[in-house]
């Protein structure tokens, strides 16, 4: 598909030129597995609690997640925009959230002007859409962005799972009535399942009922089962629908199938979707004229996914004692090529050129380092297939090839490029 795009952006495919180095030990102040592994392997760097830089390897993963999300949002007719992160106080005062949004960062500019750093964007997108929505003919409308959000979180100890600054995809839908919202909401649900499936979290991610608002009984969270999760969900053993703690306290039976047998599970909230109704249309007086010329409030929905949190959740779910095991759709590179010893350099370089020429994304470990160091780093970084050019394998005109997370090593003839690229593109045996 568009794999080449990424390597074209980042020409740093030789590990000797990668500006990050792996760390032997995780920083002492990191508690969570995702932060420990991502920092050690050089994907991210912590500036302060809940604030991370994405380094070349981490940036590649982030862009792949972003692309998956973007494709699925466009597939449900989302139009991409980019709104500002700096919001005038008036917008937030209008909805009452200047006072009531607990985690809002507020700052003062010159001439006593006050601002918020965007924690969410209803306060911006509603007045924006009001400039263009006047008739039923302008509806429905679906707008999304992928952008930084800011929240003054008390707890920010879970690495990428809870950030004070974090990248989020937020989609907002605008409808003439609730029926239209309900139909689109189901489509958005399906799009979310596709996103988590494509990010390698499909098996472990549960649609979870959460409390709704004035306009609907429930909202929905997408919760990925993991011991690192800060949430507790209850998975129905009959139908696999999950409910969160609040719902569990209110209802003893599964609202979908009536089942009463639940499995308690820690989980990471990787996304949520919410029917807003007219909650934000009201304060901004967002209305449209229907076929009869009557004015009605626009009905809205909102749909969020935290990209860094998805990345953190993937690492929490996909790792072993040696490091990360990236699912193939979001791996920074498709294959990690290791040259062992200077004698192998020429063959390794030639293989590297052939594979990249064939559209395969290769991280080439051309460093002057010991085999042990290269193997350990390959396991830590977690690229799904590893190619080793060693003197022993070259003696058989072959390269050693292995999936991350599997023990079995195979030899493939260097001349058999097709077999090699097929192996690289095939999923690991245990991957779901
Ligand atoms: Zn059920």
């Amino acid at each position: 598909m568009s794999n080449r795009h990424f390597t074209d952006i980042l020409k740093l495919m030789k590990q000797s030129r990668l500006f990050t180095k792996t760390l032997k030990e995780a920083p002492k102040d990191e508690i969570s597995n995702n932060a420990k592994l991502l920092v050690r392997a050089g994907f991210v760097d912590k500036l302060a609690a809940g604030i991370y830089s994405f380094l070349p390897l981490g940036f590649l993963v982030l862009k792949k997640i972003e692309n998956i999300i973007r494709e699925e949002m466009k597939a449900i007719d989302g139009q991409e925009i980019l709104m500002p992160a700096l919001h005038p106080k008036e917008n937030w005062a209008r909805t009452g959230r200047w006072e009531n949004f607990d985690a809002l960062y507020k700052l003062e500019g010159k001439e006593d002007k006050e601002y918020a750093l965007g924690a969410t964007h209803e306060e911006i997108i509603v007045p924006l859409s009001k400039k263009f929505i006047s008739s039923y003919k302008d509806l429905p409308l679906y707008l999304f962005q992928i952008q930084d959000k800011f929240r003054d979180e008390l707890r920010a100890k879970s690495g990428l799972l809870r950030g004070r600054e974090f990248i989020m995809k937020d989609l907002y839908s605008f409808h003439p009535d609730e029926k239209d919202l309900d139909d689109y909401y189901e489509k958005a649900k399906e799009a979310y399942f596709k996103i988590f499936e494509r990010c390698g979290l499909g098996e472990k991610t549960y649609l979870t009922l959460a409390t709704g608002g004035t306009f609907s009984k429930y909202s929905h969270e997408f919760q990925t089962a993991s011991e690192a999760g800060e949430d507790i969900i209850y998975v129905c053993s009959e139908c696999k629908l999950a409910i969160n703690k609040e719902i569990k306290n209110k209802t003893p039976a599964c609202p979908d199938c009536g089942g009463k047998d639940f499995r308690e599970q820690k989980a990471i909230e990787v996304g949520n979707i919410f029917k807003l109704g007219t909650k934000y249309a009201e304060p901004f007086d967002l209305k449209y004229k229907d076929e009869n010329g009557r004015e009605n409030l626009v009905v809205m929905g909102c749909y969020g996914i935290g990209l860094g949190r998805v990345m953190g959740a993937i690492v929490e779910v996909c790792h072993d004692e040696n490091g990360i095991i990236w699912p193939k759709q979001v791996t920074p590179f498709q294959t990690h090529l290791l040259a062992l010893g200077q004698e192998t350099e020429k063959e390794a370089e030639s293989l590297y050129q052939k594979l990249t020429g064939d559209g395969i994304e290769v991280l080439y470990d051309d460093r002057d380092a010991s085999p042990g160091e290269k193997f350990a780093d390959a396991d830590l970084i977690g690229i799904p297939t590893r190619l080793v050019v060693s003197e022993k394998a070259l003696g058989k005109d072959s390269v050693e090839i292995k999936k991350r997370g599997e023990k079995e090593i195979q030899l493939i003839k260097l001349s058999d490029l097709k077999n090699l690229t097929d192996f690289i593109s095939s999923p690991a045996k245990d991957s779901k």
Side-chain angles (χ1 to χ4, degrees):
M1 289 215 313
S2 57
N3 287 334
R4 290 198 80 160
H5 176 64
F6 297 103
T7 44
D8 287 346
I9 292 172
L10 192 83
K11 296 286 183 190
L12 275 171
M13 290 181 291
K14 289 194 175 175
Q15 217 168 326
S16 61
R17 295 185 57 210
L18 201 61
F19 98 93
T20 55
K21 308 275 180 284
T22 56
L23 306 173
K24 289 251 172 340
E25 303 280 332
K28 287 198 172 55
D29 58 338
E30 295 289 13
I31 304 161
S32 64
N33 278 319
N34 75 86
K36 280 183 188 167
L37 290 170
L38 288 168
V39 171
R40 270 191 64 206
F43 285 78
V44 302
D45 175 74
K46 180 155 88 171
L47 175 63
I51 312 175
Y52 288 86
S53 297
F54 288 85
L55 307 176
L57 293 174
F59 187 72
L60 283 173
V61 175
L62 192 68
K63 288 290 141 184
K64 288 199 177 176
I65 295 171
E66 184 180 311
N67 231 36
I68 289 171
I69 294 174
R70 178 175 287 116
E71 281 177 11
E72 296 301 339
M73 289 300 101
K74 288 190 171 172
I76 54 168
D77 298 324
Q79 298 181 44
E80 188 168 8
I81 61 171
L82 182 60
M83 291 178 276
L86 193 60
H87 302 173
K89 177 183 177 179
E90 299 83 80
N91 292 55
W92 284 81
R94 181 77 77 98
T95 59
R97 292 209 287 183
W98 179 262
E99 296 301 335
N100 297 333
F101 198 106
D102 199 33
L104 194 65
Y105 276 108
K106 299 170 182 176
L107 41 113
E108 233 171 89
K110 289 179 177 141
E111 296 170 351
D112 293 333
K113 198 95 171 94
E114 287 183 277
Y115 299 91
L117 287 179
T120 174
H121 276 74
E122 284 86 358
E123 274 80 357
I124 310 307
I125 202 159
V126 176
L128 168 68
S129 62
K130 189 179 157 77
K131 293 176 181 171
F132 302 97
I133 295 172
S134 58
S135 150
Y136 68 94
K137 290 175 188 159
D138 301 322
L139 298 171
L141 175 67
Y142 320 108
L143 301 173
F144 77 98
Q145 65 170 351
I146 295 169
Q147 201 231 26
D148 274 15
K149 299 264 189 278
F150 300 85
R151 285 183 198 171
D152 197 359
E153 297 281 1
L154 258 186
R155 294 172 300 153
K157 289 180 179 166
S158 304
L160 294 188
L161 301 185
R162 185 176 290 275
R164 294 200 167 113
E165 176 179 348
F166 55 96
I167 305 167
M168 190 167 153
K169 183 283 301 174
D170 41 337
L171 168 76
Y172 304 88
S173 66
F174 302 84
H175 308 270
D177 52 46
E178 283 185 42
K179 165 79 174 66
D180 198 57
L181 167 63
D182 291 348
D183 291 347
Y184 188 73
Y185 192 84
E186 292 307 313
K187 273 170 106 177
K189 223 185 251 176
E190 290 309 312
Y192 268 53
F193 276 122
K194 281 185 198 158
I195 290 168
F196 297 122
E197 182 71 44
R198 289 180 64 184
C199 287
L201 294 175
E203 285 280 315
K204 293 203 165 188
T205 301
Y206 295 93
L207 181 70
T208 307
L209 291 182
T211 44
T214 331
F215 294 90
S216 62
K217 196 170 176 191
Y218 303 114
S219 67
H220 293 86
E221 296 166 348
F222 292 81
Q223 294 272 8
T224 302
S226 163
E227 280 308 298
E230 294 177 346
D231 292 354
I232 291 175
I233 60 166
Y234 299 85
V235 183
C236 172
S237 28
E238 289 293 319
C239 73
K240 299 280 181 262
L241 179 77
I243 58 181
N244 76 2
K245 211 167 189 171
E246 217 174 334
I247 303 285
K248 181 81 167 74
N249 291 338
K250 286 180 200 164
T251 165
C254 170
D256 241 28
C257 73
K260 287 189 174 151
D261 187 29
F262 293 95
R263 180 168 52 83
E264 190 176 302
Q265 172 72 56
K266 280 184 156 181
I268 302 162
E269 185 188 338
V270 284
N272 60 52
I273 59 176
F274 209 95
K275 291 178 185 175
L276 297 172
T278 57
K279 186 176 175 185
Y280 295 96
E282 269 170 52
F284 289 101
D285 200 34
L286 173 61
K287 286 180 176 159
Y288 72 97
K289 277 204 174 77
D290 66 19
E291 290 93 327
N292 305 314
R294 266 197 309 265
E295 281 205 317
N296 300 291
L297 283 166
V298 171
V299 177
M300 289 177 63
C302 71
Y303 317 80
I305 292 183
L307 279 71
R309 192 180 282 196
V310 168
M311 185 166 154
I314 292 169
V315 176
E316 291 292 346
V317 171
C318 311
H319 73 268
D320 62 15
E321 66 278 12
N322 299 320
I324 305 168
I325 307 172
W326 290 107
K328 69 175 183 149
Q329 299 244 40
V330 298
T331 179
F333 293 92
Q334 287 170 286
T335 190
H336 201 160
L337 172 64
L338 278 53
L340 303 190
Q342 286 184 335
E343 303 75 16
T344 65
E345 228 168 62
K346 216 178 116 218
E347 287 296 344
E349 176 75 31
S350 141
L351 182 58
Y352 166 63
Q353 296 295 348
K354 273 188 213 153
L355 288 170
T356 50
D358 223 35
I360 301 282
E361 307 158 350
V362 189
L363 178 63
Y364 170 28
D365 191 349
D366 61 333
R367 297 173 305 163
D368 183 16
S370 72
E373 201 173 330
K374 290 191 178 191
F375 287 136
D377 278 358
D379 279 351
L380 178 60
I381 291 170
I383 292 168
T385 60
R386 189 188 75 188
L387 304 183
V388 174
V389 181
S390 65
E391 276 191 83
K392 197 174 142 204
L394 283 180
K396 294 176 183 161
D397 292 321
S398 297
V399 55
E400 288 175 26
I401 188 157
K402 179 179 112 55
K403 294 280 184 201
R404 176 73 178 87
E406 286 177 15
K407 290 216 157 36
E408 191 192 343
I409 296 173
Q410 292 183 39
L411 284 178
I412 293 182
K413 290 273 182 226
L414 278 165
S415 54
D416 194 355
L417 197 65
K418 175 151 190 325
N419 200 356
L420 262 177
T421 54
D422 284 352
F423 187 95
I424 292 166
S425 307
S426 70
K429 277 185 205 131
D430 57 347
S431 86
K432 302 198 170 88

